[in-house]
Amino acid sequence: MINKNTRIIFGGTPSFASKHLEALIEQGYNIVAVYTQPDRESGRGKKIVFSPVKQIALEHNIPVEQPINFKFQEDCEKFKKYNADIFVVVAYGVILPKSILEAPKYRCINVHGSLLPKYRGAAPIQRAVYDGEKETGITIMDMNEKLDEGNIISQHSVTIDPKETSDSLFDKLVSVGISLLKETLDQIIATNNKITTIKQDESLATYAAKLTKQEAQINFNLPAIEIEKHIRAFISWPVGYINYKDQNIKIWGAEVIEASCEKAPGTIIKIDKSGIQIATSDGIINLTELQLPGKKSMPVSAIVNGHSDLFTVGEVI
């Protein structure tokens, strides 16, 4: 049974966080305020864009606070005036000082998209795909002043399928995260905050650095199996790409062809409606879905039909 008297502040910014917030609202939890990062300018027109979390909060008439950080005393005091029992943080992206972490009556908890202590940091979902992991999951932990190093309250694992993309894994982890968060909140409330936690094993800790546009450029000096993992990890941001004939072409689909090839890595060895086969340091990568500049993504068969002269067998990318 949800205790509607329990006052919860929610902190988060991207879509992963907004889906957790929306679920808590729909399930009847008492969200007294939402904290999210300041509005950003986006695109060539520098249009101000609200974060996904702010959009959900406004739709439900929940007060929204957007401090740059908590270095100013007035921001800390305003947070305390909400008189929260629990602060739920999901991908907020703001460092929280001790005064904020100690403000709620019960505790500050964080929903993180990995099985901590593996993949601490900004991109745990993408890095798990990038590294070819077979398993990941959700961790709910107590927050402290360090990065994702708090004691573990609860965890739930999920399998990473062989063709998993970051997008599909995102969907899996959102579903698990929502369920585990509700279960954890109910336990905290039902026991009056008397729950047990487990300290993280520092010897197993790894870091998940944020993906960059620069590393999304495909390196054909890697084995085909590694390239294919990287392409899946970059979906749907920043999206893997090749620079060919002075244009960046994004790659949305690829498959490994396990065959020996004596051509130099990056050499186009075959083009047909099934894909564009390119030599790598070990095996062949077959590009099956591409996005030309200014166009939507499309199967290679459509590109071959409409741009038959774009790619040339024998050329090196």
Side-chain angles (χ1 to χ4, degrees), residues 20-303:
H20 287 75
L21 172 61
E22 191 169 27
L24 293 183
I25 294 169
E26 291 175 350
Q27 291 165 1
Y29 289 92
N30 182 24
I31 311 298
V32 298
V34 162
Y35 276 72
T36 190
Q37 289 191 33
D39 302 334
R40 308 291 186 192
E41 293 181 344
S42 179
R44 294 179 181 176
K46 301 294 184 180
K47 183 179 179 181
I48 297 296
V49 176
F50 295 166
S51 75
V53 163
K54 181 175 180 177
Q55 293 176 40
I56 295 297
L58 293 177
E59 288 174 11
H60 294 274
N61 299 311
I62 298 172
V64 176
E65 305 291 351
Q66 297 177 271
I68 297 174
N69 50 48
F70 287 93
K71 292 182 179 180
F72 296 104
Q73 187 63 30
E74 55 263 37
D75 291 324
C76 296
E77 292 304 319
K78 181 178 283 189
F79 183 94
K80 293 174 183 177
K81 285 180 179 178
Y82 281 110
N83 195 29
D85 296 301
I86 304 170
F87 185 21
V88 174
V89 177
V90 187
Y92 183 11
V94 173
I95 299 298
L96 302 177
K98 188 176 182 181
S99 60
I100 295 297
L101 296 173
E102 293 180 346
K105 177 182 176 182
Y106 288 162
R107 63 213 305 144
C108 292
I109 64 174
N110 176 255
V111 181
H112 187 76
S114 77
L115 296 175
L116 291 171
K118 292 191 72 172
Y119 296 111
R120 294 171 176 170
I125 297 174
Q126 298 93 327
R127 292 296 174 188
V129 176
Y130 189 97
D131 291 343
E133 297 282 356
K134 292 181 170 56
E135 180 186 60
T136 187
I138 290 287
T139 299
I140 298 183
M141 64 177 166
D142 278 327
M143 296 189 70
N144 59 25
E145 294 176 87
K146 297 180 180 180
L147 179 66
D148 300 329
E149 295 186 27
N151 287 355
I152 296 168
I153 300 172
S154 53
Q155 287 186 318
H156 193 286
S157 63
V158 300
T159 299
I160 300 178
D161 295 330
K163 295 298 180 181
E164 200 87 69
T165 67
S166 290
D167 275 6
S168 62
L169 184 55
F170 173 98
D171 292 338
K172 280 185 180 180
L173 292 176
V174 163
S175 178
V176 171
I178 289 170
S179 177
L180 194 61
L181 176 58
K182 181 181 184 301
E183 179 183 309
T184 303
L185 285 173
D186 291 349
Q187 183 184 13
I188 291 170
I189 295 167
T191 63
N192 198 31
N193 202 36
K194 295 180 174 63
I195 61 173
T196 57
T197 62
I198 301 172
K199 189 174 182 179
Q200 294 189 38
D201 185 345
E202 290 297 319
S203 69
L204 301 177
T206 61
Y207 179 68
K210 184 178 180 179
L211 295 179
T212 66
K213 291 183 178 180
Q214 290 74 22
E215 68 179 315
Q217 183 168 6
I218 299 305
N219 179 6
F220 292 105
N221 289 306
L222 294 173
I225 193 169
E226 293 297 318
I227 294 171
E228 191 268 344
K229 285 188 294 188
H230 294 181
I231 290 168
R232 288 188 284 110
F234 294 132
I235 294 173
S236 60
W237 193 93
V239 186
Y241 71 94
I242 56 175
N243 185 270
Y244 183 64
K245 295 183 178 178
D246 294 325
Q247 58 182 337
N248 290 339
I249 300 172
K250 295 181 178 180
I251 305 171
W252 288 86
E255 59 189 11
V256 175
I257 297 176
E258 295 181 359
S260 59
C261 179
E262 297 180 357
K263 299 290 185 181
T267 302
I268 299 174
I269 58 177
K270 185 178 180 181
I271 303 171
D272 59 28
K273 292 184 178 181
S274 68
I276 299 169
Q277 296 182 20
I278 301 174
T280 74
S281 66
D282 184 7
I284 298 167
I285 189 78
N286 188 39
L287 309 184
T288 59
E289 184 177 350
L290 303 177
Q291 182 179 2
L292 303 180
K295 306 290 185 180
K296 295 182 178 179
S297 64
M298 62 184 74
V300 164
S301 57
I303 293 176

Side-chain angles (χ1 to χ4, degrees), residues 6-19:
T6 302
R7 298 173 63 83
I8 297 172
I9 294 177
F10 185 94
T13 300
S15 176
F16 187 77
S18 71
K19 293 182 182 300

